[in-house]
């Protein structure tokens, strides 16, 4: 899932330079993706908190990430590349909270810290393996091979997510806003503590 979430990640600059892009436009499209990802972090988290279909959020956003990456093979026009990066960033902003929500539904609060730690360990291992394989495949077969590797990781991640029973991944009280009405919002205890909420906001995009 780590490789699917990042798309082609750090290899984007190399890919675009090989197709005649200058460093300025490359930085612009990558910055646009970063801004879009940061802007969507809170709305995506709120949506994940509300929806009971967290598995399908991972599936749909994963498919969108892979398709957005493949758009770069079809066209390297500025609008297409910028749109691809924005879509990838928005999808990435939703995948993380969705996985956390699924984890909480499966192991509940008591087992969440330990399981989330294991998730992050495997996530970083996936980043390392994906980067190594992408570098080797790009050197051996050319840059398009990196896109197909991301697609392969995406298929495996989707199969893994769909193998989780839906009832186990969703039957958990929603965190965050405990009740939202047209006239008022009542925060849950974590939201009522400004320092705790500020720490969550500061670390949620890392």
């Amino acid at each position: 899932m780590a490789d699917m979430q990042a798309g082609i990640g750090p290899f984007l600059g190399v890919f675009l330079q090989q197709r005649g892009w200058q460093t300025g436009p490359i930085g612009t499209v990558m910055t646009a993706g970063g801004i879009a990802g940061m802007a969507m972090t809170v709305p995506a988290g709120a949506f994940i908190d509300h929806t009971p279909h967290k598995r399908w959020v991972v599936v749909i956003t994963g498919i969108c990430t892979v398709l957005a990456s493949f758009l770069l093979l079809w066209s390297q026009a500025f609008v297409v590349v910028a749109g691809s990066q924005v879509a990838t960033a928005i999808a990435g902003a939703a995948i993380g909270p969705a996985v956390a929500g699924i984890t909480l539904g499966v192991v509940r609060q008591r087992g969440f810290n330990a399981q989330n730690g294991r998730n992050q360990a495997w996530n970083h291992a996936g980043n390392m393996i994906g980067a190594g394989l992408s570098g080797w495949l790009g050197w051996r077969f050319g840059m398009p091979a990196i896109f197909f590797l991301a697609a392969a990781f995406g298929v495996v991640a989707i199969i893994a997510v769909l193998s989780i029973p839906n009832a186990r991944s969703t039957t958990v009280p929603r965190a965050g806003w405990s009740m939202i009405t047209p006239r008022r919002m009542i925060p849950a205890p974590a939201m009522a503590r400004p320092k705790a909420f500020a720490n969550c906001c500061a670390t949620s995009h890392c």
Side-chain angles (χ1 to χ4, degrees), residues 4-205:
M4 177 187 73
Q5 183 176 0
I8 64 172
F11 298 96
L12 175 66
V14 178
F15 174 78
L16 294 177
Q17 279 190 323
Q18 288 183 351
R19 281 146 180 82
W21 279 54
Q22 300 299 315
T23 55
I26 293 174
T28 299
V29 296
M30 295 181 74
T31 301
I35 293 174
M38 287 189 292
M40 288 301 297
T41 297
V42 173
F47 173 75
I48 297 300
D49 195 36
H50 180 74
T51 180
H53 306 293
K54 295 175 177 61
R55 295 189 313 159
W56 287 105
V57 170
V58 176
V59 171
I60 293 172
T61 53
I63 292 173
C64 290
T65 299
V66 173
L67 292 179
S69 297
F70 269 104
L71 277 177
L72 302 179
L73 284 177
W74 171 66
S75 173
Q76 291 83 52
F78 182 86
V79 175
V80 174
V81 176
S84 170
Q85 290 307 291
V86 169
T88 300
I90 292 174
I95 290 177
V99 173
I102 292 172
T103 302
L104 184 61
V106 172
V107 301
R108 298 299 191 265
Q109 186 174 359
R110 178 175 296 181
F112 178 77
N113 289 339
Q115 184 59 51
N116 188 54
R118 287 190 288 268
N119 289 354
Q120 294 306 315
W122 283 104
N123 178 58
H124 292 303
N127 280 323
M128 292 177 59
I129 294 172
L133 285 176
S134 295
W136 182 80
L137 290 173
W139 169 76
R140 183 70 175 80
F141 301 104
M143 292 298 292
I146 298 175
F147 294 88
F148 291 99
L149 177 66
F153 272 112
V155 171
V156 174
I158 289 171
I159 293 174
V161 170
L162 291 179
S163 68
I164 302 172
N166 189 53
R168 293 190 63 191
S169 66
T170 58
T171 54
V172 60
R174 294 194 296 270
W177 296 108
S178 59
M179 182 173 67
I180 300 178
T181 68
R183 291 183 294 179
R184 63 174 182 166
M185 294 182 179
I186 301 177
M191 298 287 283
R193 295 191 292 270
K195 290 184 179 180
F197 182 54
N199 290 333
C200 292
C201 291
T203 59
S204 61
H205 192 66

